[in-house]
């Protein structure tokens, strides 16, 4: 989130890089690389890229013996030169995401404002954006017009 980056917490580029290269390995060596299983937070436990890939493959219940350590490391070495591109892309994503999310929220708010049966509508911040950038709610109150019987 932009809030985290602006506070100096930054983007965890190495873990994102590891995940991206893992995806390339899955594409190249495993026919079914889209899985219902999730890798989860393997990065924090891994001692190296090779260890990360082995742990991730085990978590995905894939045969990690298909690849030797040098093959895995060669993927890392091949794509390491593109790390700057990935960093630039992620900075762009972090910068633009709040704008796009804000436009979506405003569009939903405008929709509520256009409805005749909504007496009040607003965007409400529910909690700190550092916890989650999706901390806003679109709130609308339906109006209840009383009909007089004649």
């Amino acid at each position: 989130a932009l809030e985290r980056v602006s506070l100096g917490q930054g983007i965890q580029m190495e873990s994102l890089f590891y995940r991206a290269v893992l995806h390339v390995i899955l594409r190249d060596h495993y026919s079914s690389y889209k899985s219902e299983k999730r890798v989860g937070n393997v990065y924090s436990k891994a001692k190296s890229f090779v260890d990360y890939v082995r742990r991730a493959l085990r978590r995905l219940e894939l045969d990690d013996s298909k690849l030797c350590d040098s093959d895995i490391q060669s993927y890392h070495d091949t794509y390491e030169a593109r790390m700057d591109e990935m960093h630039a892309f992620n900075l762009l994503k972090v910068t633009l995401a709040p704008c796009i999310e804000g436009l979506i929220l405003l569009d939903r708010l405008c929709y509520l404002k256009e409805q005749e049966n909504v007496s009040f509508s607003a965007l409400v911040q529910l909690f700190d954006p550092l916890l989650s950038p999706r901390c806003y709610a679109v709130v609308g109150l339906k109006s209840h017009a009383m009909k007089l019987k004649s």
Side-chain angles (χ1 to χ4, degrees):
L2 186 58
E3 289 83 3
R4 290 188 194 123
V5 172
S6 65
L7 284 177
Q9 294 176 349
I11 302 171
Q12 301 299 318
M13 284 307 302
E14 190 176 56
S15 67
L16 292 173
F17 174 72
Y18 278 20
R19 182 73 55 104
V21 178
L22 171 67
H23 189 77
V24 174
I25 292 170
L26 291 172
R27 181 196 67 200
D28 290 353
H29 295 278
Y30 297 89
S31 59
S32 169
Y33 63 91
K34 290 186 179 180
S35 172
E36 295 297 316
K37 300 193 181 315
R38 298 180 58 109
V39 172
N41 192 10
V42 173
Y43 175 77
S44 64
K45 298 170 189 134
K47 296 172 184 70
S48 67
F49 178 69
V50 173
D51 186 38
Y52 172 84
V53 171
R54 297 236 178 262
R55 287 173 181 264
L57 291 173
R58 284 192 296 272
R59 180 81 57 93
L60 295 170
E61 296 178 359
L62 295 171
D63 181 14
D64 70 329
S65 67
K66 286 174 92 172
L67 297 165
C68 65
D69 288 356
S70 62
D71 288 342
I72 294 171
Q73 188 60 44
S74 72
Y75 272 93
H76 180 278
D77 298 343
T78 299
Y79 288 99
E80 191 172 30
R82 298 193 68 188
M83 190 105 154
D84 288 340
E85 291 175 50
M86 190 173 167
H87 186 68
F89 171 77
N90 279 298
L91 284 176
L92 185 62
K93 185 174 78 169
V94 164
T95 303
L96 292 178
C99 299
I100 294 166
E101 290 173 10
L103 285 172
I104 292 168
L105 287 171
L106 288 174
D107 178 65
R108 291 175 181 170
L109 180 63
C110 287
Y111 173 79
L112 288 177
K113 298 265 185 212
E114 293 168 355
Q115 304 307 304
E116 290 181 16
N117 63 342
V118 176
S119 62
F120 173 80
S121 58
L123 287 177
V124 179
Q125 184 175 336
L126 299 176
F127 48 85
D128 188 354
L130 286 174
L131 295 173
S132 171
R134 290 174 189 87
C135 60
Y136 296 97
V138 180
V139 178
L141 297 176
K142 214 174 195 183
S143 57
H144 295 285
M146 299 278 295
K147 291 186 180 178
L148 296 175
K149 293 184 181 179
S150 43

